[in-house]
Amino acid sequence: MASSFSSSMRGGRGRKLKSEINVVPYIDVMLVLLIIFMVMPSANDPSVVDLPRAEKSTKPPSDFVQIVLKPNGALSIGIKGKDEDAPETAPNRDALVRKLRAIHEQHPDYPVLIAGDKDSKYDDVIQLISEAKKLGITRVGLSTK
């Protein structure tokens, strides 16, 4: 009788089982993974790209303008080929663009090849390509070793 008395005090209802999944632990795991994936890319420096070596590359044109970019920021420009001249160093990008403009006016059909060291900043290479395109040079490429 005592058992019937206690069930009537609870309102006559028995204990119901829940058939739902508790998702709170899964949300905690997903938040931890999200934080890990957000922190990991900041550990890499996106401005430095390790440029690969090409196994087989096309032969460069016979005459072209070569811009050499060193990781320490040194820039040089010169003509390679039959009209080859000694490369001139440029103290900054503006001076290099002025020299490139002068060479392009003398030799408008010469393509431009940019030789960047593997430790060069990717942004510097892209900026040089952009400046060459602004001058109206349609053939701009990257040289490989």
Side-chain angles (χ1 to χ4, degrees):
M1 280 248 260
S3 63
S4 65
F5 179 75
S6 63
S7 65
S8 65
M9 287 189 65
R10 285 192 261 156
R13 291 179 281 165
R15 186 171 182 187
K16 293 184 179 179
L17 296 175
K18 286 187 177 182
S19 62
E20 299 172 357
I21 297 175
N22 187 5
V23 295
V24 174
Y26 299 114
I27 293 172
D28 292 342
V29 169
M30 292 306 289
L31 287 175
V32 168
L33 288 174
L34 178 68
I35 291 170
I36 289 171
F37 285 122
M38 288 174 60
V39 171
M40 285 306 291
S42 65
N44 299 332
D45 187 9
S47 64
V48 178
V49 175
D50 190 15
L51 298 175
R53 292 178 177 242
E55 294 298 323
K56 293 182 181 177
S57 62
T58 60
K59 189 175 180 181
S62 59
D63 296 318
F64 60 94
V65 178
Q66 184 179 28
I67 299 174
V68 178
L69 175 67
K70 297 289 182 182
N72 62 2
L75 300 166
S76 65
I77 185 170
I79 296 177
K80 295 287 186 176
K82 64 181 179 186
D83 295 334
E84 189 167 336
D85 63 351
E88 299 177 36
T89 59
N92 56 26
R93 190 181 311 151
D94 293 332
L96 182 102
V97 170
R98 285 193 298 271
K99 290 179 184 181
L100 180 60
R101 182 179 291 122
I103 291 173
H104 181 62
E105 288 173 359
Q106 292 175 357
H107 308 285
D109 56 335
Y110 282 9
V112 174
L113 286 178
I114 299 173
D117 191 80
K118 71 176 186 175
D119 295 328
S120 299
K121 288 189 177 182
Y122 183 69
D123 182 55
D124 293 340
V125 174
I126 295 300
Q127 291 297 328
L128 288 174
I129 292 172
S130 175
E131 293 292 336
K133 293 284 186 177
K134 286 179 188 175
L135 292 176
I137 301 170
T138 56
R139 293 176 58 198
V140 180
L142 300 174
S143 69
T144 59
K145 290 184 179 181

